[in-house]
Amino acid sequence: MHEGCLAHMTMAVRAMNTCSIFRSASSPPFASLGCRLHRFPALHCRRHPQLGFRISVFQSSQNHNPFGRAVIRSYHVQSLVDTVTEQLEALRKRHRIRATCKMGVASSGELLEDKLEKQALREGLLLEFKKDSERLLLAVARRRDGKKNWMVSDQYGGTTSIKPQQVTFIVPGAENFDHTDISDFLQKAQNNLDPSLLECAWIELHEKNKTVTVEELAEIIFGSAEPLESYCAHLLLSKDEVYFTVLEGKSSFCVYGPRPAMQVEELLHKKLAKEAAEKELQDFLQLLKSTKTRPSHEKPPKSSWENEEKIQHKIKSLEAYAIDACETDDQKKTAGMILKAMGLAKTSASALKLLIDIGYFPVHVNLDLLKLNIRTDHSDEIISAAERVLSEASDPDELDRIDLTHLKVYAIDVDEADELDDALSVTRLMDGRIKVWIHVADPASLVQPGSIVDREAMKRGTSVFLPTATYSMFPEKLAMEGMSMKQGELCKAVTVSVVLHTDGSIAEYEVDNTTIKPTYMLTYESASELLYMNLEEEVELKILSQAAALRFRWRRTQGAIDTSTFESRIKVLNPDDPDPSITLYVEDQADPAMRLVSEMMILCGEAIATYGSFHNIPLPFRGQPQSNIDVSAFSHLPEGPVRSAAIVKIMRAAEMDFRNPIRHGILGIPGYVQFTSPIRRYMDLLAHYQVKAFLRGDSPPYSAGQLEGMACLVNMNVRLVKKLYNSSLRYWILEYLRQQPNEATFRGLILRFIKDRMAAILLVEVGMQASAEVSVGLHVGDVVKFQVEEAHPRDDFLSLKEVDEWA
C-alpha cells in the first residue's frame, strides 16, 4: 500500500516537467489563491486543464503545528522528487503515513448513505447548533430535556435547551468534552482557517470524480481527522460558496461533491465581484462616517459626491430612498444596506438625516421639490433659444399698436415680484362713468406658438414661487428683459379697456395691441398708503379704488361670494443655513389695494370672455358652479375669514370649457378667462395666442379640442406646483414659529369646532390655519391667545397651548 502511494506521488511530481510551478499573469482568478497542506508536505496541486491552476509545493516547518501557517518553499523538479521520497520513507519507518491514498474516498458510483456515519446525541459530545437565524454556537451536550430535546452548555457558559433539528454539526471524536475548553478550541480553529485549502482538495476530487465527508476532507487538507481538524474542515465547507455542494445528508451528516469546473469558474467570478463590492461598500461607509464628524464648513459640496460613478450610485440610492422615489429594487436594496451598516433604521427619515449630516442636503432641503420632480433650471438649449428670441426680436404687431404712453400707469404687486405682467390706468369720462385700462404684458409678441421656448413653457405650466426661490416659466433673461414691464420704459402690451356703467357692470370694452410707459411700480403696502393719504395729485388711484368698489358691489348683486381672508407670504434669504433669516408678511385680501387689483383682474377676465364669445374665439373659459351654496346658511357667522373659511370648505371645483363662456358663480360673472399673467401662467399665454391671432386677422393657432388637450397637461403641472407651494409655505411658517421666543404669543381666531373643545383656528399674525384645544365657553369668531409648545416643520407638527390673558 505504501509502495503504491509512493509510486503514485512520484509519478505525479514527475508530471510537473510539463508544467510551470508558477502561474502566468494571464491565468484565471484562481491564480491569487494558494494551496497549503499539513502533515503531508509533498501533496501537490496540478494544473486543471480548463482553469489552469498553478502547481504549488509546500513544506511545513520543523516545529510543525497541525494548524500553524505552512512555510512555502519552491523546488526544482528533481529535488522535489527526492524530497517526496525521503519524507515518505521517514513516515513509513515511523508508521505514521497519512495520505490521500490511505483515505477511503468513495467513487461516484458508491452509495452515498454508506459514507454517512450516523451518530446519536449523547452526553459529552461537542456540537454546533443554531441559536437563532443569524448565530451558530458551539456547545457540549449535558443531558436530555424531555424525550427529544437536550440541555447544552454553550461557548459563553450559558445553558440552553435545544431541539435535535437545531444541531448543525457534531464534532467527530470529541468525547467527554469540557465546555470550558470551547473558547480555546474555537480560537485555534479560527486562526487556522484558509479557504484556499479547498482549492487543492477540489482539484484532486474533481479529477477523480470523488465525493467526500467532512472527516475525509480533513484528512485530505490537514492529514488528520482529529476533532479540531474535522471542525475546521466543517467550517470551510459551511462557508464555501465555490468548490463543493451538499449531495446528501442532513444536519451534521453530509456528503459533499466537487462542483463542475465551469460552475466553479462562474461562482469564483461572482465571489470576487461580491468581495470587491463589499470592499467598495466599506470604503463608502468609512467616507460617510468620516464626513459626518467634520464641521459644517469642511463638509464636501454636493457635487463632489457625484464625480465618481460608484459613489454616485450609492448616494443617489440614498437620495431616492429619502424622498420615497426608488425607481428600482437595486436602489432600495443599496440604500437599505447602507442604512443598516450605519446602524440606522431603514426609513426615509433616516436616509434624509444621514444625507443632511454629511452635507449632501442642507438642513432645510425642500423634499417636495425633489419628490414632485418640478422643473427648476432651464437647459442650455432653452437659454440659447431664448437669447436668440431677444436678439432677433421683431414686433409683428408694430403697425397696429395704439400709443397709450400719455396715460398714467400704475403697476401694483408684491415687493419681491420679479415678473411684472399687469398694470392699470383710469379716467373719469365727461358723463361721469369710469373707464379703466388693464394693461397686460405681451410675451406672445416674442414667443411663437409651437417654438422650442413655447414648448418648454407648456411643460412647466407656470412659474414656481417659493419662499426660498423663484423658478420662472421662461428663462430669466427673456422674462425680465424682454417681457416684463419696467418703470419709465416703453413696453409692449395687450390692453383691455372697459367703460363701466354706474352700477359697476360692463358698458363697453375693447382689446388692442398697445405701447405703454409705466409711471409707478407700487407694492400693495405703498398703494394702500397712497389711498389713505388721498393725495390730489394721485386722483387716478382714488378713481381706480372707486371702480373696484363699484365692481365688488355689482358682483355681490350677481351672487358673488366674498372669500377674502388672511394670506401669508414668506421670504427666506439664506435657506441653506441651519438657522436661516425668515421674513413673514400677512396680507389681508380685503385691504383696499389688494381689493383694487383683484377686482380689475376679474374685470379683465370677464371682458376677454365676452370678447371671445362675441367673436367665436376658442379660449380656456373658466367657471365655478354655485348651485350647492346657500349663502344665507352662513349669515350667522361673522363676516371675513370665519365666513369665508366655512364657504370655501363646500365650494365645488372649477370647470373649463373651450368653446363658450360658462358662469363663474363664486365671482358672480357670466364668463371668465385668465388673461393677466401670461409671463407666469401658460393658460394665460394660450389665451393671448388666440386673441392676438384674431387681432391680426389670422385664424386662431389652436382649435377648442387642441386647447382642451393642452389644458390637461398644463393643469396637471399647475396642481403639482400648487401642492409644492402650499407645503413649502407651511414648512417655513412652522420654521418661523419654531424660531420664536418661548414667551411669544399669537392671536388665534376660532373658525369652527372640530370636536368637543378642539377648534380650527386662524393664527392671525402668521396667516396659517391650525388646530388647538380651547377653553369651555368660547365661540366661533372669538379670538384667543396662544403660545407655541412645539413646532417641527419636517414632521408638519405644531402644538399650541391657550394662554390666560390675565396671567
Side-chain angles (χ1 to χ4, degrees), residues 431-678:
D431 60 6
R433 293 183 302 172
I434 296 174
K435 182 176 182 177
V436 176
W437 289 265
I438 302 103
H439 312 289
V440 183
D442 189 8
S445 65
L446 291 171
V447 179
Q448 300 303 308
S451 66
I452 183 173
V453 176
D454 170 70
R455 293 197 304 273
E456 178 66 16
M458 185 180 71
K459 291 175 184 176
R460 293 169 180 265
T462 180
S463 294
V464 182
F465 299 98
L466 301 179
T468 53
T470 297
Y471 304 107
S472 299
M473 184 172 76
F474 289 109
E476 184 176 351
K477 188 175 181 181
L478 177 61
M480 295 296 296
E481 295 183 14
M483 300 176 175
S484 183
M485 294 181 177
K486 299 178 183 64
Q487 183 173 341
E489 296 185 16
L490 295 177
C491 301
K492 292 177 287 188
V494 178
T495 298
V496 178
S497 57
V498 180
V499 176
L500 298 177
H501 284 301
T502 54
D503 64 353
S505 61
I506 296 176
E508 304 169 17
Y509 65 89
E510 285 184 46
V511 180
D512 300 289
N513 291 305
T514 63
T515 302
I516 63 170
K517 193 174 185 179
T519 313
Y520 296 114
M521 296 292 188
L522 302 175
T523 64
Y524 288 114
E525 291 81 1
S526 59
S528 292
E529 287 179 11
L530 286 174
L531 285 170
Y532 287 128
M533 293 170 68
N534 196 21
L535 299 176
E536 186 175 339
E537 56 268 30
E538 299 301 335
V539 65
E540 292 88 353
L541 197 59
K542 182 177 180 180
I543 298 173
L544 277 172
S545 181
Q546 292 171 350
L550 276 178
R551 285 290 298 172
F552 181 65
R553 285 196 297 269
W554 178 78
R555 289 194 303 108
R556 291 297 295 268
T557 64
Q558 303 301 306
I561 299 172
D562 183 13
T563 58
S564 59
T565 184
F566 294 104
E567 193 171 274
S568 305
R569 284 192 295 112
I570 280 187
K571 194 71 175 177
V572 183
L573 298 179
N574 47 345
D576 289 345
D577 287 358
D579 293 306
S581 175
I582 303 172
T583 305
L584 184 143
Y585 311 86
V586 178
E587 299 172 341
D588 181 356
Q589 293 176 333
D591 174 83
M594 294 203 77
R595 179 81 76 184
L596 183 158
V597 173
S598 65
E599 285 298 333
M600 294 303 102
M601 299 305 106
I602 294 171
L603 174 61
C604 180
E606 182 186 352
I608 289 294
T610 306
Y611 184 81
S613 174
F614 183 80
H615 295 291
N616 294 316
I617 305 172
L619 289 171
F621 298 101
R622 287 182 173 271
Q624 192 164 27
Q626 189 187 356
S627 57
N628 62 330
I629 299 178
D630 180 7
V631 179
S632 62
F634 301 95
S635 59
H636 66 286
L637 297 174
E639 280 195 280
V642 174
R643 187 179 296 181
S644 295
I647 294 173
V648 167
K649 281 186 65 67
I650 63 169
M651 282 170 50
R652 291 167 60 181
E655 298 176 353
M656 295 192 74
D657 193 291
F658 301 92
R659 294 170 178 81
N660 300 294
I662 51 178
R663 177 170 175 75
H664 202 300
I666 303 301
L667 297 180
I669 54 180
Y672 180 65
V673 173
Q674 286 186 327
F675 195 77
T676 58
S677 298

Side-chain angles (χ1 to χ4, degrees), residues 67-81:
F67 298 97
R69 182 69 65 177
V71 179
I72 304 177
R73 296 179 182 175
S74 302
Y75 295 89
H76 294 293
V77 174
Q78 185 59 46
S79 64
L80 180 58
V81 174

Side-chain angles (χ1 to χ4, degrees), residues 348 419 443 449 640 700:
S348 57
E419 303 163 351

